[in-house]
Amino acid sequence: MLREKPAADLTPYQTKYYAYQLTKRCPTDSMEKLAGALVDAQVDLNPHQVEAALFAFRSPLSRGAILADEVGLGKTIEAGLVLSQRWAERRRRILIITPASLRKQWYQELQEKFFLPSRILETKSYKTAVDAGAINPFDADDIVLCSYQFARNKAHDVAHIRWDLVVIDEAHRLRNVYKKSNVIARTLRDALNHAPKLLLTATPLQNSLLELFGLVSFVDDRVFGDLASFREQFSRITNQSTFDTLKSRIKPICFRTLRRQVRLYVPYTKRHAILQEFKPGPEEAALYDLVSDYLRRDNLQALPSGQRTLMTLVLRKLLASSSFAIAGALDTLANRLKKKLRNATVVPDPSDELAADFEAYDELTDEWGDAEPPEQISPAERDALVREIDELETFRDLAVSITENAKGRALLAALKTAFQTADQLGGARKAVVFTESRRTQDYLVRLLKDSPYGEDLVLFNGTNSDSDSRATYNAWAERHQGTDRITGSRTADMRSALVDFFREQGQIMIATEAGAEGINLQFCSLVVNYDLPWNPQRIEQRIGRCHRYGQKHDVVVVNFINSENEADRRVYELLAQKFLLFEGVFGASDEVLGSIESGVDFEKRINDIYQRCREPEEIRQAFDQLQLDLGHQINAAMDATREKLLEHFDQEVIEKLRVSHNDSAAYLNRYERMLMDLTRTEINGHARFEDDAAFELISLPHGLGGDIPLGRYELPRRSGEAHYYRLSHPLARHLLSTATERQLEPARLLFDYEAHPGNVAAIEGLRGRGGALLLEQLTVQSLDQTEDYLVFECRTWDGERLDENQLHRLLGLPAITEGEGLTGPHDHDVWVDFRSTIDQKCDDVRRQIRQRNADFFEAEAAKLDAWADDLKVGLEREIKDLDRQIKEARRAATAAPTLEEKLHVQKQIRALESQRGQKRRALFDAQDDIDGKRDQMIEEMADKLELRETRTELFRILWRLA
């Protein structure tokens, strides 16, 4: 039953206090700084995520941070909190660089969980923006998302934006930035040199401490000196002192939480693997051999030379997927060559048609680099073209003649076994089946519709244009009309509609790679890899749709193996045994996944084996070598160093997380209550309030436009069947603005203790008493940060002073205004005394800010001193080398048997001494130069320390507590 709340519950004085509390800007090291982001986020936050976000904010002098939590702990959520806070501060030049395969996932997460607008910038959207008149498409009002490759290609544009924040996901790709061969990392480092950066990686250190140097220097090149000085000091850690020095240097910039440390807050389920073998029929085996031999030829007219390796991999994946998938690809290649015969000047590119079936094609192209331009052909090639067309059509006709696939029959058997296992584990009878081909997806629909699993199938792919998907979307859109579930993006809404249908009534979702990114299926605990990618990171991404935070049951993972194919078997063994993808509590470890640098490079290695090796013994030897190479990369010798450098003692972390958990929950509850109480009062009869977390907006307050819909509103993380009400919502912003801008005359307020539900112990002793309150806001600017402080003096008439908690409790009680003006026995002297006390409190705030800024300054100055000393180490090493050479020469002169030889060595000594003298003079100059740069940086920091402030009186009242 809806009940109307009277507008008189709170007075304008109380809502003004709430509005200032809700909108004040807090210090960087305060848990309260994140309160607004916590209220706005549509996520159930864990304490380690709050702690990581606060770490990223900690020092305003910092150039950035590395968030290095283990896999599965939600680094994206941590970054989302940082992004939300930056956005709330109106620092909105934000760039996110991520692997191409994760762009859509980031887009969805920002939109659905943090209500942050973003756009994906790629070749097509970039060109569209330029055609529309944009000088630099990176200069946008929304958060910009792009891939590594695209950011590298557009580095000139990237460098011309004054970014407020750059977030880089999977940042271990940058750890070899110190190597000249790592072009992408070096290009991005130069383009983003002055931008504050947040790097996300589960693997900041894999095989060498130089990788840690690379990542840290990418964020801040003033933490260490140059590469030579780092090698000199840290490449061999031989004593505890050196180790402690290195750890202290990286501690301010790198934050890491382990999964075992957060099990109290984040329960994890296990993975169970089921392996389903199948044996292809004679026609399928013949087709495989014919196409494989064709792809191994040195000269193929159907594949553009600049894309041959990529297209070969794609064709092999389609060949392994189904006869239907390879039939379509072969037809595409044959038609390409026919067009080439008809037009002898330009070779048509088959990429578009292949990409329509193999949806990961565009992302692979982005990762592998740009394709070469179309080729020219000569008349001498025409006969070869005709022969190749005949072969391709023969292969295609064979593929088309195969109407049933052995792997398809195996799927029916595997589903029966897998559902039985899921039943035993308590999971729902739901499965997501992943395939790499749209044509195979169509085949699986036909196959399953004629099986016991034919009811309530859900298709999920890059277009979702089939009739069933459209019908599902239309029904979903009608059901959620007028709610925030509808984003306005048909693509995003279609994905939500299909996921909701799968959750509520579907049994099997058949998904292409589009389903491996950007959707959460934790209500499903059965993953079927009908086609198994060769990229371990892509497999982990697939399984992670279900095996993630919020999954209540163990997850079953089904894979298929062609029992006649030795290479397929070895690929599976590698993924299962070396990468540990399919069993255990956590799946693939971050160390193992991170070791391969890029899943695309790993795919290339496997594709090369398929191309080179025909006989089983050749295949075994090649995979043995690949596994040996991986063994070198997955280096257990680094484990101890990684643990000591990057991981805290468990109990220390767990205790800190406990405090963080309690504090963040308290702030969240407090801010949500203030927001709803302010709304209830300020909305003044335009809404009916059902409870403390939801209301029905029945009309718009004066001054609001018609773009705010009527209907049910509720705080985030509730039912989801309403508009999400939050601090950043236009309605909330209007009410907050109204309350903060209202000019209030002095008045007398009567607070009603009895009208408040429950006891309020902090102020119960004040009943029957009265006093006075003066409230001001102090705004302080320093270190490019703005902070707001609510400073007050509140006393009873008998002299008892109220603390902040008591004041907050008092102003939270229902109240009425007894009258304006402060007539009565309380004269001007009271407010003079109050203002004097507030002056003292403002002095205390300034003192605290100066002390905190001095700590920041001292830490940054110490960093610069260490940086300068590092650079000097390299210079001094050269002089030490000359000293050693001179000593050796003098010993040689003493031992020389003849006068001539002694004179010759003496000449060498003089030359070395002259060179040493020049080096010493150069050293002094260089040291002076380094010290000058350090002093200049310190002076620049010192300028930022100056405090600038404003003070504003919000209101003054006399009060009584009845």
Side-chain angles (χ1 to χ4, degrees), residues 927-944:
Q927 287 178 329
D928 288 343
D929 183 53
I930 292 168
D931 288 339
K933 288 181 179 177
R934 179 200 58 196
D935 293 343
Q936 180 182 351
M937 292 175 185
I938 289 176
E939 285 179 14
E940 290 173 357
M941 284 193 298
D943 291 339
K944 295 180 180 179

Side-chain angles (χ1 to χ4, degrees), residues 402-619:
I402 300 171
T403 57
E404 189 177 77
N405 287 186
K407 187 161 67 165
R409 294 193 300 272
L411 172 63
L412 299 177
L415 284 172
K416 182 178 180 181
T417 303
F419 277 135
Q420 289 173 349
T421 305
D423 288 342
Q424 294 168 5
L425 296 171
R429 292 181 66 85
K430 292 181 184 292
V432 55
V433 180
F434 284 106
T435 173
E436 294 187 297
S437 163
R438 290 278 295 276
R439 291 188 177 99
T440 300
Q441 185 184 44
D442 293 340
Y443 161 62
L444 294 179
V445 171
R446 297 193 298 272
L447 175 73
L448 291 173
K449 279 194 172 178
D450 292 332
S451 77
Y453 312 108
E455 294 295 324
D456 297 324
L457 294 177
V458 185
L459 266 68
F460 199 103
N461 53 52
T463 62
N464 298 311
S465 57
D466 62 285
S467 58
D468 287 345
S469 295
R470 291 198 304 271
T472 299
Y473 168 77
N474 290 334
W476 178 89
E478 184 176 349
R479 179 161 52 126
H480 294 287
Q481 186 65 39
T483 74
D484 281 0
R485 292 300 306 279
I486 296 180
T487 67
S489 165
R490 183 179 172 86
T491 300
D493 290 344
M494 174 66 82
R495 293 162 69 89
S496 296
L498 295 175
V499 170
D500 284 357
F501 181 85
F502 182 38
R503 179 192 300 108
E504 293 160 7
Q505 62 187 90
Q507 183 178 25
I508 295 177
M509 173 182 278
I510 310 171
T512 61
E513 287 308 311
E517 56 187 28
I519 60 173
N520 298 329
L521 305 175
Q522 61 266 49
F523 55 84
C524 171
S525 58
L526 176 52
V527 179
V528 180
N529 289 310
Y530 187 79
D531 300 328
L532 190 63
W534 293 342
N535 183 336
Q537 292 160 338
R538 190 176 290 279
I539 298 172
E540 183 63 27
Q541 191 178 5
R542 281 182 175 185
I543 300 173
R545 297 305 95 214
C546 299
H547 192 231
R548 59 193 297 112
Y549 174 72
Q551 176 58 257
K552 295 180 173 59
H553 306 284
D554 288 359
V555 173
V556 179
V557 183
V558 179
N559 299 297
F560 295 83
I561 280 188
N562 178 350
S563 60
E564 303 288 296
N565 192 308
E566 178 66 20
D568 285 2
R569 183 175 294 279
R570 289 303 302 270
V571 169
Y572 177 79
E573 289 176 0
L574 199 58
L575 296 170
Q577 298 172 15
K578 201 67 177 177
F579 290 99
L580 309 174
L581 282 161
F582 307 121
E583 296 199 70
V585 177
F586 298 122
S589 71
D590 50 8
E591 287 84 4
V592 173
L593 275 184
S595 70
I596 60 173
E597 295 284 337
S598 164
V600 171
D601 293 333
F602 186 70
E603 284 180 300
K604 289 180 180 178
R605 291 286 301 273
I606 292 179
N607 187 54
D608 180 61
I609 294 175
Y610 275 85
Q611 284 293 96
R612 287 188 296 105
C613 305
R614 300 169 185 261
E615 300 302 321
E617 184 58 33
E618 285 183 287
I619 294 170

Side-chain angles (χ1 to χ4, degrees), residues 56 63-66 79 82-83 86 91-98 106 138 143-144 146 148 151 158-159 161-169 171 174 188-189 191-200 218-219:
R63 290 187 170 191
I66 301 169
V82 178
L83 290 166
R86 282 285 185 268
R91 299 186 179 194
R92 299 185 174 180
R93 289 290 177 265
I94 298 174
L95 173 66
I96 299 176
I97 300 174
T98 180
W106 269 94
F138 281 89
I143 295 171
V144 176
C146 74
Y148 277 83
V158 171
I161 304 294
R162 187 179 179 86
W163 298 106
D164 294 314
L165 179 66
V166 177
V167 176
I168 304 179
D169 197 9
L174 306 171
L188 293 179
R189 178 197 61 190
L192 299 169
N193 185 41
H194 298 294
K197 292 173 279 287
L198 186 63
L199 271 55
L200 311 178
F218 191 96
V219 174

Side-chain angles (χ1 to χ4, degrees), residues 26-295:
C26 299
T28 58
D29 56 349
S30 164
M31 173 72 74
E32 196 174 1
K33 181 178 182 66
L34 284 178
L38 294 174
V39 173
D40 274 8
Q42 178 63 13
V43 290
D44 294 318
L45 291 169
N46 289 298
H48 70 277
Q49 295 166 334
V50 175
E51 193 61 35
L54 282 172
F55 177 86
F57 283 123
R58 199 135 284 164
S59 172
L61 293 174
S62 171
R63 290 187 170 191
I66 301 169
L67 300 186
D69 290 355
E70 277 193 293
V71 165
L73 292 184
K75 288 182 289 296
T76 307
I77 300 299
E78 295 166 3
L81 288 174
V82 178
L83 290 166
S84 293
Q85 187 57 36
R86 282 285 185 268
W87 192 264
E89 294 168 355
R90 306 196 70 79
R91 299 186 179 194
R92 299 185 174 180
R93 289 290 177 265
I94 298 174
L95 173 66
I96 299 176
I97 300 174
T98 180
S101 60
L102 299 181
R103 292 171 300 182
K104 291 178 185 174
Q105 180 176 337
W106 269 94
Y107 177 85
Q108 292 287 116
E109 297 269 301
L110 293 177
Q111 182 181 58
E112 295 176 1
K113 295 182 176 177
F114 296 98
F115 309 102
L116 294 174
S118 63
R119 66 178 64 182
I120 295 175
L121 206 56
E122 54 197 345
T123 302
K124 184 177 180 181
S125 57
Y126 181 94
K127 185 178 184 301
T128 300
V130 170
D131 291 344
I135 298 174
N136 184 349
F138 281 89
D139 190 4
D141 295 328
D142 299 340
I143 295 171
V144 176
L145 286 159
C146 74
S147 70
Y148 277 83
Q149 189 74 35
F150 190 81
R152 176 257 178 126
N153 292 341
K154 304 297 183 184
H156 181 268
D157 288 346
V158 171
H160 274 74
I161 304 294
R162 187 179 179 86
W163 298 106
D164 294 314
L165 179 66
V166 177
V167 176
I168 304 179
D169 197 9
E170 303 293 337
H172 51 266
R173 297 177 177 217
L174 306 171
R175 62 189 174 202
N176 291 325
V177 65
Y178 61 90
K179 295 180 179 179
K180 292 183 178 178
S181 59
N182 198 327
V183 177
I184 290 181
R186 294 172 75 88
T187 303
L188 293 179
R189 178 197 61 190
D190 295 342
L192 299 169
N193 185 41
H194 298 294
K197 292 173 279 287
L198 186 63
L199 271 55
L200 311 178
T201 174
T203 54
L205 174 61
Q206 187 57 44
N207 302 307
S208 165
L209 286 170
L210 294 180
E211 298 170 345
L212 194 58
F213 166 81
L215 273 186
V216 170
S217 63
F218 191 96
V219 174
D220 188 346
D221 57 6
R222 302 178 305 187
V223 174
F224 300 113
D226 56 14
L227 181 61
S229 65
F230 184 88
R231 279 197 171 110
E232 175 83 6
Q233 298 177 87
F234 303 118
S235 60
R236 297 182 188 88
I237 300 180
T238 56
N239 58 68
Q240 188 63 38
S241 175
T242 304
F243 185 89
D244 291 343
T245 298
L246 178 57
K247 185 165 186 174
S248 67
R249 299 279 282 276
I250 66 175
K251 188 176 181 180
I253 204 170
C254 187
F255 183 91
R256 181 170 173 83
T257 306
L258 306 180
R259 289 176 289 208
R260 68 171 182 264
Q261 293 167 335
V262 301
R263 280 192 168 185
L264 178 64
Y265 308 102
V266 187
Y268 284 96
T269 60
K270 297 180 180 179
R271 297 180 184 183
H272 302 273
I274 293 178
L275 182 61
Q276 180 71 48
E277 296 196 7
F278 66 95
K279 181 179 179 180
E283 293 84 1
E284 290 181 88
L287 176 65
Y288 183 91
D289 291 340
L290 287 169
V291 175
S292 290
D293 289 342
Y294 169 78
L295 292 174

